[in-house]
Amino acid sequence: MDFNGSQHISAPRAEVWRRLIDPLTLQQCLPGCEHYQQLPDGSYDVVIAAAIGPIKARFKGIAQFSNHQEDIGYRVEGNGNGGIAGFGKLSADVRLEDSDGGTALHYAARAQLGGKLAQIGSRLVGTVANKFLADFFLRLEKLVGESEEHDSP
């Protein structure tokens, strides 16, 4: 499954970038995130509780960031296992550019699902993934806005 899109964020690109590389921000923005901790190799140990249709699970996995280009973007690859619910793998490229009054965040992601998750259908999974993304961006916009308020004289 592929997910591509853009989101306008009402903040300067440097601030959006600062938030996108901040582990605490990512933990706060990821819906259902129960655990987000950096490992010695630079990857992150992640636990996310999610419901996809009738399937509810805690997905435990690893996220790895690469191809960092400051204020421009990066690549994230991750995998998670939800036990009997199945597993998922994700790779996504994130790119930032200046936009009217803020920053445009562009993403191109590919997800692979296995187990029960793969059996429930791409339409339902796509709907849940789009809601997850919308919640993520709403939380990110709020946190970036709070930073802007604290930085104002």
Side-chain angles (χ1 to χ4, degrees), residues 3-9 95 97 103-108 137:
F3 300 94
N4 302 297
S6 295
Q7 180 72 32
H8 183 270
I9 300 171
R95 184 173 48 84
E97 64 183 28
T103 304
L105 184 155
H106 304 283
Y107 59 90
F137 288 126

Coordinates of all heavy atoms in Angstrom, one line a residue, residues 3-9 95 97 103-108 137:
F3 N 1.1 5.5 0.4 CA 0.5 6.7 0.9 C 1.3 7.9 0.5 O 2.5 7.9 0.8 CB 0.4 6.6 2.4 CG -0.4 5.5 2.9 CD1 0.2 4.3 3.2 CD2 -1.8 5.5 3.1 CE1 -0.5 3.2 3.7 CE2 -2.5 4.5 3.5 CZ -1.9 3.3 3.8
N4 N 0.8 8.8 -0.2 CA 1.5 10.0 -0.6 C 0.6 11.2 -0.3 O -0.6 11.2 -0.4 CB 1.8 10.0 -2.1 CG 2.5 8.7 -2.5 OD1 3.7 8.6 -2.1 ND2 1.9 7.9 -3.3
G5 N 1.3 12.3 0.1 CA 0.5 13.5 0.3 C 1.4 14.6 0.8 O 2.6 14.5 0.9
S6 N 0.7 15.7 1.1 CA 1.4 16.9 1.6 C 0.5 17.5 2.7 O -0.7 17.3 2.7 CB 1.5 18.0 0.5 OG 2.4 17.5 -0.5
Q7 N 1.2 18.2 3.6 CA 0.5 18.9 4.7 C 1.1 20.2 4.9 O 2.4 20.3 5.0 CB 0.6 18.1 6.0 CG 0.0 18.6 7.2 CD -1.6 18.6 7.1 OE1 -2.1 17.6 6.5 NE2 -2.2 19.5 7.7
H8 N 0.3 21.3 5.0 CA 0.8 22.6 5.3 C 0.9 22.8 6.8 O -0.1 22.5 7.5 CB -0.1 23.7 4.6 CG 0.5 25.1 4.9 ND1 0.2 25.8 6.0 CD2 1.4 25.8 4.1 CE1 0.8 27.0 5.9 NE2 1.6 27.0 4.8
I9 N 2.0 23.3 7.3 CA 2.2 23.5 8.7 C 2.6 25.0 8.8 O 3.5 25.5 8.2 CB 3.3 22.6 9.3 CG1 2.9 21.2 9.1 CG2 3.5 22.9 10.7 CD1 3.9 20.2 9.4
R95 N 9.9 15.2 3.1 CA 10.6 16.3 2.5 C 9.9 17.6 2.9 O 8.6 17.7 2.9 CB 10.6 16.2 1.0 CG 11.4 17.2 0.3 CD 11.6 16.9 -1.2 NE 10.3 16.6 -1.9 CZ 9.4 17.4 -2.4 NH1 9.6 18.7 -2.2 NH2 8.3 17.0 -3.0
E97 N 9.6 21.9 2.4 CA 9.9 23.1 1.6 C 9.1 24.3 2.1 O 8.1 24.1 2.7 CB 9.6 22.8 0.1 CG 8.2 22.6 -0.3 CD 8.1 22.2 -1.8 OE1 9.0 21.7 -2.4 OE2 7.0 22.5 -2.3
T103 N 5.4 25.9 6.1 CA 6.2 24.8 5.5 C 5.2 23.8 4.9 O 4.2 23.5 5.5 CB 7.0 24.2 6.6 OG1 7.8 25.2 7.3 CG2 7.9 23.1 6.1
A104 N 5.6 23.3 3.8 CA 4.9 22.2 3.2 C 5.7 20.9 3.5 O 6.9 20.8 3.3 CB 4.8 22.3 1.7
L105 N 5.0 19.9 4.1 CA 5.7 18.7 4.4 C 5.1 17.7 3.5 O 3.9 17.4 3.4 CB 5.3 18.2 5.9 CG 6.0 17.0 6.4 CD1 6.1 17.0 7.9 CD2 5.2 15.7 6.0
H106 N 6.0 17.1 2.6 CA 5.5 16.1 1.6 C 6.0 14.7 2.1 O 7.1 14.6 2.6 CB 6.2 16.4 0.3 CG 5.9 17.8 -0.2 ND1 4.7 18.1 -0.8 CD2 6.7 18.9 -0.2 CE1 4.8 19.4 -1.1 NE2 6.0 19.9 -0.8
Y107 N 5.2 13.7 1.9 CA 5.5 12.4 2.3 C 5.1 11.4 1.2 O 4.2 11.5 0.5 CB 4.9 12.0 3.7 CG 3.4 12.0 3.7 CD1 2.7 10.9 3.3 CD2 2.7 13.2 4.0 CE1 1.3 10.9 3.3 CE2 1.3 13.2 4.0 CZ 0.6 12.1 3.7 OH -0.7 12.1 3.7
A108 N 6.0 10.4 1.1 CA 5.7 9.2 0.2 C 6.1 8.0 1.0 O 7.2 7.8 1.4 CB 6.6 9.3 -1.0
F137 N -0.6 14.9 12.2 CA -0.3 16.3 11.7 C -1.0 17.3 12.6 O -0.5 18.4 12.8 CB -0.8 16.5 10.2 CG 0.2 15.8 9.3 CD1 -0.3 14.9 8.4 CD2 1.6 16.1 9.3 CE1 0.6 14.3 7.5 CE2 2.4 15.4 8.5 CZ 2.0 14.6 7.5

